[in-house]
Amino acid sequence: MSDTNKETTTVRWGILGCGAVTEKKSGPAYQKTAGFEVVAVMRRDGDKAADYAKRHGIKKYYTDADQLINDPEVDAIYIATPPDTHKFYGLKVAEVGKICCIEKPLAPSHEECLAINEAFNKKNIPLFVAYYRRSLPRFNQIKAWLETNGIGEVRHINWHLSKPTSEQDLSGPYNWRTDATIASAGYFDDLASHGLDLFSYLLGDIKNATGISLNQQGLYTSNDATAASWFHESGVTGTGSWNFGCQAREDKVTIYGSQGKIEFSVFGEEPIILSNEDGNTQLLIEHPENIQYYHAQAIREHLLGNSTHHSTGKSATHTSWVMDRITK
């Protein structure tokens, strides 16, 4: 965006891949952000594209990605397709020189993430990635507790995430999240990336990581169980376990410090808990109706030059490197 009239310039967005994630989580968040307008969407199924555009009040729809990317009335592209196509479409957007936000994970491998980043860096174009938890008030309160030494010196972080086997997994219909050609570690690739990215935001980049990943149930081609250990550049250690064939759903993170601990979940909205010598503080901070709302607002503020967005191609590539270290 130019330095003149930045506050009044409207950024016209096109959504490439208007599937389930865009219905409530992200699409309306862009529409509700001042200075943003969603002017076009693309989906290969023309009827579904038309239906989405009609229901969301969007004037244009396409069935061809190139037509959306090259539309002169579209200034920025939000890529919301499965991860195996992110590089393919991302490079096309970089080539035409448009602002871009890509759904997480940025790509299935670290190498692909590097290629996407290089393309946008060469053109000096902003690249954002939808690790929107970095923008949520819930997690920024936790960050504030850490930065004000609410638990003293941070020592260790642990996350356990488990879920029962789903009916979809048992009945066997196709699911790209459990297709090893798209997500080799299955739901870990889709879900654990959120938490690991968040931990880098809260505690600084991860310096090294290792892990094991395997298929315990044999229900699909991807792995369904992963365990890992890592340490941050700050010296904070970390451990995690993710299993998608357990009896009960659990999502618990504990950050241990020299003078207390913080407990929270990555995906739930349970109260966040600070425990130290002063007692227990519990805060219930609800998510916005459209969970990417603050993420979209932060993109606008970045484009205006008012602040730097916390989730960029660079930070998302670091998360991909951590994921690769754990699973490979």
Side-chain angles (χ1 to χ4, degrees), residues 30-235:
Y30 283 82
Q31 290 178 300
K32 292 178 180 180
T33 297
F36 281 1
E37 181 184 2
V38 179
V39 298
V41 296
M42 174 270 165
R43 193 166 181 172
R44 286 178 295 180
D45 186 314
D47 290 338
K48 290 182 178 180
D51 176 65
Y52 184 97
K54 181 179 180 180
R55 286 185 292 105
H56 291 274
I58 298 167
K59 62 183 180 182
K60 288 192 290 187
Y61 67 89
Y62 295 106
T63 58
D64 182 271
D66 288 332
Q67 289 183 317
L68 176 75
I69 293 169
N70 291 285
D71 185 335
E73 294 184 352
V74 171
D75 307 309
I77 304 289
Y78 164 42
I79 298 174
T81 57
D84 62 323
T85 59
H86 288 180
K87 178 185 175 184
F88 179 75
Y89 291 128
L91 295 183
K92 285 177 176 286
V93 175
E95 181 62 29
V96 299
K98 294 187 177 181
I99 299 161
C100 188
C101 181
I102 301 179
E103 260 304 326
K104 46 65 52 189
L106 177 55
S109 72
H110 182 235
E111 291 76 16
E112 288 179 275
C113 291
L114 288 172
I116 297 169
N117 264 294
E118 182 181 5
F120 281 90
N121 287 339
K122 280 185 176 179
K123 293 289 190 74
N124 195 29
I125 308 164
L127 171 62
F128 308 98
V129 181
Y131 282 115
Y132 52 82
R133 278 171 172 75
R134 290 178 176 236
S135 299
L136 287 173
R138 168 186 178 85
F139 299 112
N140 278 302
Q141 176 59 63
I142 293 171
K143 190 171 179 64
W145 281 341
L146 293 169
E147 291 176 345
T148 55
N149 298 314
I151 58 171
E153 295 184 12
V154 182
R155 304 298 191 203
H156 182 76
I157 183 168
N158 173 261
W159 182 25
H160 174 70
L161 176 68
S162 62
K163 288 186 176 184
T165 308
S166 71
E167 289 299 323
Q168 183 179 21
D169 295 336
L170 290 170
S171 57
Y174 179 75
N175 179 2
W176 66 261
R177 291 175 176 82
T178 54
D179 182 345
T181 63
I182 297 175
S184 62
Y187 293 116
F188 173 85
D189 286 348
D190 185 37
L191 300 176
S193 59
H194 269 297
L196 291 168
D197 181 82
L198 176 64
F199 301 160
S200 290
Y201 174 59
L202 295 175
L203 302 172
D205 282 350
I206 292 172
K207 187 173 183 179
N208 203 354
T210 187
I212 54 174
S213 185
L214 66 156
N215 188 322
Q216 292 181 330
Q217 301 176 88
L219 294 174
Y220 37 74
T221 57
S222 294
N223 290 339
D224 57 18
T226 301
S229 60
W230 65 87
F231 64 93
H232 296 259
E233 291 179 354
S234 60

